[in-house]
Amino acid sequence: MRHEEFLRVVQTGAALPDRAAAERAVRATLETLAERVPDGLAEHLAAQLPHELGEHVRRVVAAHEGGPEGHHTAERFDLTAFAARISWRGGVPEDVALREASAVFEALDAALAPELSEKLGSVLPPDIRELLPESRADDSP
């Protein structure tokens, strides 16, 4: 999927007014997601996204690689913290952040290989998994 198409899916899915709002929503969600998933999965995710979008994930992974083990370790947080982080990054209320994140997950589902989408769903806790497209949310453990 191309960068513009990804943004269009998010803009339409979240009922955003323009491309800039979609870019903000995508950046905030991908950066927060990169904090939540293991580094190997984050790297695979970044590799399957358009370069501009993958950079949001890579930047977070790189910033966390200075940790004690020398690599990024997934942070453990729930939907409440997920929404709060997206809200803070995007400068929007938490309910808006969740709506936007759901649209980003919809675009991710279309952009990623099915096995990577399944893996992503399997590492997220049940409450965050509720943001996935219905077909993925139902497939995950």
Side-chain angles (χ1 to χ4, degrees):
M1 177 180 285
R2 299 179 90 109
H3 182 229
E4 289 300 320
E5 183 181 356
F6 194 99
L7 292 177
R8 204 169 21 258
V9 168
V10 172
Q11 184 177 348
T12 301
L16 296 170
D18 54 35
R19 182 182 188 273
E23 286 179 340
R24 177 201 38 79
V26 169
R27 179 191 49 77
T29 302
L30 290 179
E31 288 177 356
T32 303
L33 185 61
E35 292 173 334
R36 184 61 182 81
V37 300
D39 61 344
L41 181 57
E43 289 295 335
H44 283 45
L45 180 73
Q48 288 193 16
L49 291 172
H51 178 75
E52 304 91 337
L53 302 178
E55 284 304 305
H56 299 308
V57 175
R58 288 183 191 96
R59 188 172 43 254
V60 170
V61 171
H64 288 87
E65 283 181 342
E69 294 89 37
H71 61 87
H72 167 67
T73 305
E75 293 182 47
R76 300 182 69 74
F77 51 83
D78 63 6
L79 181 62
T80 302
F82 191 72
R85 289 178 187 212
I86 295 170
S87 171
W88 173 77
R89 282 188 167 105
V92 296
E94 289 184 16
D95 61 322
V96 173
L98 289 174
R99 185 184 73 230
E100 293 175 354
S102 183
V104 172
F105 278 123
E106 189 75 41
L108 281 172
D109 193 55
L112 302 176
E115 54 276 358
L116 186 57
S117 288
E118 289 175 26
K119 179 67 175 171
L120 179 60
S122 75
V123 301
L124 295 174
D127 56 353
I128 296 176
R129 218 171 23 242
E130 289 177 14
L131 299 174
L132 298 175
E134 273 189 42
S135 60
R136 291 281 175 224
D138 295 343
D139 289 345
S140 299

